[in-house]
Each structure stands twice: as C-alpha cells, then as structure tokens.
C-alpha cells in the first residue's frame, strides 16, 4: 500500500532511431531521479526509439520478453525504483504490425502491468501534420484496471488516449488516483491542446495526471512538443519540464485527492438517468 505523500519524476528527451543511445539517455535520467529520492519514474511514449519510417519501426520492434525490455527491467532493479515505460514497440508474432505498449515495472524488475494503446492517431492536417498509426500499429482491445504502486493507483493511457474522456472516467470509476499519458505529441497539436486536455482529464476525474513527453526534432519528418507535466486533481499544473532533455519532480498527495472529492463531490451528482453511464470494466 502506498503512503499518503510520494515523490515522482517525469523524464523528457528526444528519442532517435538508435535504441542503445536512447537507453543511455533514460538510464542517466533514472539515476538523476533516484538521486532525488523519487519513488517512481515516468518515461515518454516511444522511449525505446522513434524510427524514420514505419518500415524501420517495424524492423526495430521486439517482443516484451526480448533483450531490450530486459535492459529496462534490469535498470529498475539496479536502482530499486519503479518505472512507467510509456510506449514500447511490441512486436506481434506472425504479423507485420506492432502494439504500442505501456509497461509498468516494479523496483525488483518485474513487469506488473501492461496496456496497449487503444486509440490510434490517424490525422492528416495539410501543411501541419500527417501521421497514420494504424499503418503499423494494432489497437489494444482492453482497458487495463488501475495498478497499485508506491505512489498510488495508476490508470494507464498513452498519448492520443488523452482525447477520450470515456477512458479516463472508466479508470477513475475503477479507483485510479493517478492517470498517466506518456506522449509524443506533435508540435501543432501540442501548442493547441496539450495542457488543456491534461487539465480537463484531471478536473473531470479528480485524479492527478502525469504526462511524460518526447521533445524536439527526432528526424527530418518528426518533431515533438515536449512540456512534460503533472496536473493535480484541482486542475493546477504543479510540475513541468523545461525545454530539452531533463526531469521534473512532483509530490503526489493522496490526502489532497480525498479533499478535492469531498469539497466537489461530482461523482455523487452524475445524472446517469439522463445519459449513458461510463461503465467500469
């Protein structure tokens, strides 16, 4: 059972198509977080690599029990720290597609939960952004129940999932205290919607929202918005990474979640007789 107040760390960096280089960056950031006495580190979507093409991404993908994930579970064990690994390119046996999988690793290096991204980002805005994840990813088929960690019960999402309140409400109904959306938001959508979406999800669920993000130019075709942040249950941004590679720290206060819910009891005021209830899984 987690304590009432816990320190978390968010990482932010610019992944490339070199998994070994990316691991080295994350290892350094995790060690920084450990030195700051964080209990859990949150890593962005596509932390393992960002390929220059769908074909390259498929070629680089590995199974969840392969050598690449083994290095990350060893990293958690070596530092005795929990990791939220925000979006692993999980190879699907017998298919020319992958899952985008969020993996939670405990301080002993054991994988205790994983969730595959349900909502795929297929968008073409002329002159701004063109990306079709369904060309090389399979959508996940289930909402994963919140996982108990030293910092609270965490509901797992990934990036584009943040636009769908049905997911966040379902996780909150199942007891989530924290929602996490590791991301690689495009610059165009990030400038317009990143902060407001994260704050909205926090306000409507009365949960903390943790969103570690990719930042900067990955290659000639891809650039990410950055601005890793933590939002509290009242909708206030309480931590945010500066530009570039680094970490930020935030205190998760479970007593404050209870306080917000008691002072603004929206869950008691839902008019399920007027609209379809978001059902828990």
């Amino acid at each position: 059972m987690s304590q009432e107040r816990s320190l978390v760390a968010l990482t932010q960096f610019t992944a490339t198509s070199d998994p070994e280089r990316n691991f080295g960056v994350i290892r350094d950031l995790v060690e920084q977080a450990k030195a700051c006495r964080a209990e859990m580190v949150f890593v962005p979507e596509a932390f393992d690599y960002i390929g220059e093409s769908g074909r390259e991404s498929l070629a680089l993908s590995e199974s969840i029990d392969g050598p690449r994930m083994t290095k990350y579970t060893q990293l958690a064990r070596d530092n005795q720290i929990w990791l939220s690994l925000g979006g692993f390119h999980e190879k699907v046996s017998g298919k020319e597609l992958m899952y985008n999988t969020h993996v939670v690793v405990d301080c002993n290096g054991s994988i205790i939960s994983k969730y595959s991204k349900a909502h795929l980002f297929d968008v073409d805005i002329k002159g701004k952004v063109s990306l079709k994840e369904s060309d090389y990813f399979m959508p996940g088929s289930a909402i994963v129940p919140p996982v108990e960690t030293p910092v609270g019960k965490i509901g797992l999402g990934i990036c584009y999932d943040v636009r769908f309140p049905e997911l966040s409400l379902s996780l909150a109904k199942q007891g989530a205290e924290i929602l996490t959306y590791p991301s690689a938001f495009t610059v165009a959508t990030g400038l317009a919607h990143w902060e407001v979406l994260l704050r909205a999800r926090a306000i409507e669920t009365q949960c903390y929202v943790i969103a570690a993000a990719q930042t900067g130019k990955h290659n000639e075709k891809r650039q990410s918005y950055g601005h890793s942040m933590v939002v509290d249950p009242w909708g206030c941004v309480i931590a945010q990474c500066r530009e570039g590679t680094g970490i930020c720290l935030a205190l998760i206060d479970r007593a404050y979640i209870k306080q917000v819910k008691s002072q603004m009891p929206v869950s008691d005021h839902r008019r399920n007789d007027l609209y379809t209830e978001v059902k828990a899984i």
Side-chain angles (χ1 to χ4, degrees):
M1 195 62 133
S2 62
Q3 300 174 351
E4 287 291 288
R5 292 160 67 90
S6 305
L7 189 68
V8 300
L10 281 74
T11 66
Q12 179 171 283
F13 79 111
T14 308
T16 69
S17 59
D18 183 349
E20 289 299 317
R21 176 262 179 197
N22 299 330
F23 176 77
V25 174
I26 293 171
R27 180 190 59 218
D28 291 346
L29 294 174
V30 168
E31 290 174 354
Q32 289 179 40
K34 177 66 176 180
C36 293
R37 299 185 178 181
E39 295 182 67
M40 189 164 184
V41 181
F42 292 78
V43 176
E45 181 184 29
F47 66 92
D48 49 351
Y49 61 86
I50 290 182
E52 297 191 18
S53 67
R55 185 183 299 274
E56 182 179 41
S57 290
L58 285 166
L60 288 170
S61 65
E62 287 189 4
S63 65
I64 210 80
D65 57 357
R68 187 171 300 141
M69 182 54 69
T70 298
K71 292 183 68 172
Y72 284 94
T73 58
Q74 183 66 48
L75 179 65
R77 185 161 52 249
D78 289 346
N79 288 278
Q80 284 293 288
I81 200 165
W82 284 60
L83 299 178
S84 161
L85 300 171
F88 180 75
H89 293 80
E90 182 182 4
K91 188 173 185 177
V92 180
S93 179
K95 293 184 179 292
E96 287 297 311
L97 290 170
M98 304 170 283
Y99 284 122
N100 185 346
T101 302
H102 187 160
V103 183
V104 177
V105 181
D106 71 13
C107 61
N108 297 315
S110 298
I111 294 174
I112 62 166
S113 186
K114 67 173 192 172
Y115 159 78
S116 294
K117 188 176 183 179
H119 302 97
L120 300 183
F121 185 66
D122 285 359
V123 174
D124 186 6
I125 304 173
K126 290 185 178 180
K128 292 187 177 181
V129 58
S130 181
L131 184 61
K132 191 174 182 182
E133 289 184 333
S134 62
D135 283 344
Y136 41 96
F137 284 108
M138 292 177 60
S141 59
I143 297 173
V144 174
V147 58
E148 187 73 56
T149 78
V151 303
K153 292 186 72 173
I154 299 179
L156 306 180
I158 301 174
C159 199
Y160 192 50
D161 287 332
V162 75
R163 293 185 179 272
F164 301 90
E166 297 87 351
L167 175 62
S168 60
L169 289 169
S170 179
L171 290 167
K173 285 175 68 67
Q174 294 177 75
E177 297 165 308
I178 300 165
L179 303 174
T180 184
Y181 297 101
S183 298
F185 249 61
T186 67
V187 174
T189 55
L191 284 166
H193 298 149
W194 174 246
E195 182 176 325
V196 70
L197 282 169
L198 296 174
R199 295 181 68 190
R201 298 296 81 86
I203 292 166
E204 72 197 6
T205 61
Q206 298 177 316
C207 293
Y208 282 92
V209 170
I210 298 177
Q214 293 278 353
T215 189
K217 193 171 185 178
H218 309 284
N219 53 54
E220 291 303 315
K221 300 177 182 177
R222 186 85 180 266
Q223 185 173 356
S224 292
Y225 179 63
H227 296 80
S228 296
M229 69 174 61
V230 181
V231 184
D232 75 13
W234 191 247
C236 299
V237 178
I238 60 171
Q240 184 170 180
C241 283
R242 298 179 178 181
E243 296 296 324
T245 297
I247 67 170
C248 63
L249 303 169
L251 195 64
I252 304 299
D253 186 347
R254 298 178 81 186
Y256 184 58
I257 300 172
K258 297 172 186 176
Q259 178 184 329
V260 169
K261 288 183 175 181
S262 67
Q263 293 178 352
M264 186 70 72
V266 293
S267 62
D268 296 337
H269 300 155
R270 294 195 187 281
R271 289 294 306 275
N272 294 318
D273 57 319
L274 299 182
Y275 47 79
T276 302
E277 181 180 5
V278 178
K279 296 180 180 179
I281 302 301

